[in-house]
Amino acid sequence: MGTDGREARGCPQKYVVKNYFYYYLFKFSAALGEEIFYITFLPFTYWNIDHSVSRRMIIIWSIVMYIGQVSKDILKWPRPLSPPVVKLEVRTDAEYGMPSTHAMAATAISFSFLIATMNQYKYPFELGLMAAFVFSTLVCLSRLYTGMHTVLDVIGGALISAVLLVLLYPAWDSIDHLLLTSPFCPLLSIAVPLLLCYNYPKLDYYSPTRADTTTILGAGAGATVGFWLNHQYAAPAYSGENLGFPLITGMTVVLVLARFFTGLFVILLTRQLMKSVVLGTLCYCYKFPISDLEARRRLEVEVPYKFVTYSSVGFTATVIVPLLHGLLGLI
């Protein structure tokens, strides 16, 4: 990229795109580590692929992302200097750099999906391994291309995620069984993440890492409560056996797309509704206008706002949407 007049939104630097293929490839790849991907892919696996796979990915994703976000604010390693680096993103520039949570999330999601499916479904392991490697590599490279991380940030993030996967894998089934069967699961699924959010490391200046962490833990908490409810009162998680990916037919594709777009509409509607209700309630309780950004960043406002909103999204995705699918005859 050069500097002949194209300006990134909110970025003081100007740049010109010389290779649009790389530009759009890595901009798209960067989005695979952001909310737009989480809110589509993770529910998609729950609605259309396999509940056990989705449960494992969501739990691993929540743990890995919490450790990554907290590590950033403990280590406090700065992001690459700009200039000379041209940064194509603005929002995350307020965060510290090490480790790259995009790299951590991409590694965790892609390889946990591989591990969770390789013994349940019939497909070439080499193909799955290549897909996981390509996915995580594209996301990692996108963080270098967009100027948001150093090579060390990206390598560190991927390695931390890999180590966590190795450490968690032996207890994977035990954790899943405990979360589905323990009578204390709903209480702990809400109380522990809330405690972690309210005791998040304090910084000298505002950073979106606490809000992002609360969003992730909230979504994971709501989904976990939904998993427990489904196991207790709907279909038990261990009632069936997976023998392979379903035969792809025209009707199967239609049902998959119908489930996905119906579910996506409902969770986006839930997110927007809960944002308005929760923020309006907090504005009333703490006596500040909804446009007061500084007030919305306060601990007592930001944590409940994000946690309640996204725990509602997680719960809706795992309980309300499947019920709606059943009522519409999409299951």
Side-chain angles (χ1 to χ4, degrees):
M1 288 182 294
T3 56
D4 75 338
R6 178 168 178 144
E7 187 170 359
R9 182 178 298 178
C11 179
Q13 288 180 288
K14 296 181 179 181
Y15 63 89
V16 61
V17 177
K18 294 183 178 179
N19 189 315
Y20 278 93
F21 173 76
Y22 287 138
Y23 177 78
Y24 288 113
L25 172 65
F26 290 124
K27 289 287 282 184
F28 173 78
S29 299
L32 297 178
E34 297 173 358
E35 182 182 348
I36 185 63
F37 175 73
Y38 305 143
I39 210 169
T40 53
F41 178 72
L42 294 176
F44 179 89
T45 61
Y46 191 76
W47 301 329
N48 292 302
I49 298 179
D50 188 286
H51 286 188
S52 66
V53 172
S54 181
R55 289 197 307 270
R56 285 161 171 76
M57 284 200 301
I58 289 173
I59 297 304
I60 293 296
W61 168 67
S62 300
I63 294 173
V64 165
M65 289 299 286
Y66 174 76
I67 291 174
Q69 294 286 73
V70 169
S71 297
K72 281 186 178 185
D73 292 337
I74 292 176
L75 293 174
K76 297 183 179 180
W77 287 20
R79 290 184 182 269
L81 292 176
S82 175
V85 169
V86 177
K87 295 186 177 180
L88 305 188
E89 297 178 11
V90 176
R91 179 182 177 275
T92 55
D93 194 34
E95 300 177 7
Y96 290 107
M98 177 67 171
S100 167
T101 46
H102 274 70
M104 292 184 71
T107 303
I109 289 176
S110 58
F111 283 94
S112 62
F113 183 82
L114 173 67
I115 295 168
T117 58
M118 65 183 183
N119 293 324
Q120 296 192 58
Y121 295 103
K122 298 174 182 177
Y123 64 86
F125 173 75
E126 295 78 7
L127 182 62
L129 182 61
M130 182 180 297
F133 179 78
V134 169
F135 177 89
S136 55
T137 299
L138 281 175
V139 175
C140 289
L141 290 177
S142 74
R143 308 313 290 158
L144 302 178
Y145 182 87
T146 55
M148 302 312 296
H149 286 286
T150 65
V151 174
L152 186 60
D153 295 341
V154 170
I155 293 175
L159 286 178
I160 292 171
S161 190
V163 169
L164 289 173
L165 275 174
V166 170
L167 293 176
L168 290 169
Y169 178 69
W172 202 332
D173 291 337
S174 299
I175 294 172
D176 186 51
H177 179 75
L178 182 66
L179 292 176
L180 291 174
T181 59
S182 172
F184 303 107
C185 173
L187 176 62
L188 293 177
S189 296
I190 298 297
V192 172
L194 265 179
L195 183 65
L196 293 175
C197 293
Y198 274 108
N199 290 277
Y200 193 83
K202 293 180 173 59
L203 297 176
D204 297 331
Y205 65 93
Y206 179 79
S207 165
T209 48
R210 185 181 64 199
D212 292 342
T213 304
T214 306
T215 294
I216 292 164
L217 293 184
T224 302
V225 173
F227 298 151
W228 184 86
L229 281 174
N230 287 336
H231 182 74
Q232 298 295 322
Y233 301 106
Y238 303 113
S239 61
E241 189 177 62
N242 295 306
L243 300 177
F245 284 112
L247 181 65
I248 298 177
T249 64
M251 183 55 68
T252 302
V253 172
V254 170
L255 284 174
V256 165
L257 291 177
R259 285 194 291 263
F260 174 67
F261 285 111
T262 301
L264 184 61
F265 173 77
V266 172
I267 60 176
L268 290 177
L269 183 64
T270 300
R271 183 181 67 165
Q272 190 58 45
L273 177 64
M274 293 306 298
K275 276 186 173 183
S276 300
V277 171
V278 176
L279 185 58
T281 302
L282 290 168
C283 289
Y284 176 79
C285 292
Y286 290 103
K287 311 298 182 186
F288 66 89
I290 199 168
S291 59
D292 189 343
L293 185 60
E294 288 302 316
R296 290 167 59 174
R297 289 174 170 177
R298 283 156 37 193
L299 174 70
E300 65 271 21
V301 174
E302 185 175 69
V303 169
Y305 170 48
K306 294 290 184 179
F307 193 88
V308 174
T309 297
Y310 284 92
S311 61
S312 301
V313 169
F315 183 83
T316 298
T318 54
V319 176
I320 306 301
V321 170
L323 288 175
L324 180 61
H325 286 164
L327 291 174
L328 296 176
L330 298 177
I331 297 179

